[in-house]
Structure formats: structure tokens, C-alpha cells
């Protein structure tokens, strides 16, 4: 068994889905997106699975809704952090 092929964190899927919904994959740099995903994923608990189908059939809708709200909150926080950090570094360079 290769862990990197067989097991993954379901939140990764939800974070990438939210990034796509927001259109960030079309407007932000790859570095920004990588930082955003890391910051967001560090704010949510891991949920390891082997197969996506397991989550589709066995996850109660209320829990899925909560997970999606967690991701929305985590991405909003991560974007705010990255955008504030970028503004701070730009103003420091101007001084």
C-alpha cells in the first residue's frame, strides 16, 4: 500500500472546490494558491479517506454542510491574511 496514492484528506477536495468556485484559480498566482490552500487546510481538522465515494454515501448532509462552512471560513481567513500581508510588504517597500 502506498499511502500517498491510497489515502488523502477529504478537506483537500473541498478547499480546491471552493477555490474553483471563487474563480481564484484564474486570477491568483500559483504561489498565492499554494499558500492559500496550506493556510486554509491548517485551520480545519483532517478527515482522511480512501475513496471519494465513501464520503458521498456515508457522510450525513448536516456534517457535509458543516465541513463546507468550515472551508469557507478557513479560505476567507487565509485570503485576508495573505492580502493584508501583501499590503504590508508593499507599504514597507514604499517607505
Amino acid at each position: 500500500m502506498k499511502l500517498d496514492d491510497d489515502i488523502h484528506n477529504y478537506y483537500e477536495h473541498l478547499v480546491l472546490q471552493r477555490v474553483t468556485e471563487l474563480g481564484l484559480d484564474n486570477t491568483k498566482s500559483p504561489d498565492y494558491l499554494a499558500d492559500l490552500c496550506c493556510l486554509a487546510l491548517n485551520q480545519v481538522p483532517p478527515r482522511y479517506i480512501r475513496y471519494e465515494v465513501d464520503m458521498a454515501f456515508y457522510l450525513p448532509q448536516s456534517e457535509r454542510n458543516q465541513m463546507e462552512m468550515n472551508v469557507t471560513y478557513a479560505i476567507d481567513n487565509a485570503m485576508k491574511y495573505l492580502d493584508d500581508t501583501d499590503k504590508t510588504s508593499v507599504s514597507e517597500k514604499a517607505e
Side-chain angles (χ1 to χ4, degrees):
M1 174 174 79
K2 291 178 58 180
L3 288 179
D4 58 341
D5 291 336
D6 294 339
I7 298 172
H8 65 279
N9 181 354
Y10 187 67
Y11 271 105
E12 293 171 6
H13 169 77
L14 295 178
V15 165
L16 293 175
Q17 180 181 336
R18 182 69 179 153
V19 165
T20 301
E21 287 172 1
L22 294 172
L24 299 174
D25 52 331
N26 296 320
T27 60
K28 300 294 185 181
S29 72
D31 284 337
Y32 181 96
L33 294 174
D35 288 343
L36 178 70
C37 289
C38 288
L39 289 169
L41 286 167
N42 281 327
Q43 295 178 64
V44 294
R47 181 73 183 258
Y48 292 102
I49 62 169
R50 287 188 63 195
Y51 305 108
E52 297 285 329
V53 70
D54 290 343
M55 295 303 279
F57 288 110
Y58 301 112
L59 184 67
Q61 188 61 39
S62 60
E63 190 172 346
R64 176 162 175 95
N65 291 342
Q66 183 63 52
M67 292 173 78
E68 289 173 353
M69 287 191 316
N70 292 347
V71 166
T72 296
Y73 181 76
I75 287 180
D76 289 347
N77 283 342
M79 287 176 61
K80 183 177 180 336
Y81 176 81
L82 290 172
D83 294 344
D84 288 349
T85 301
D86 186 47
K87 288 176 188 173
T88 302
S89 66
V90 168
S91 67
E92 287 175 356
K93 288 179 185 177
E95 294 176 357

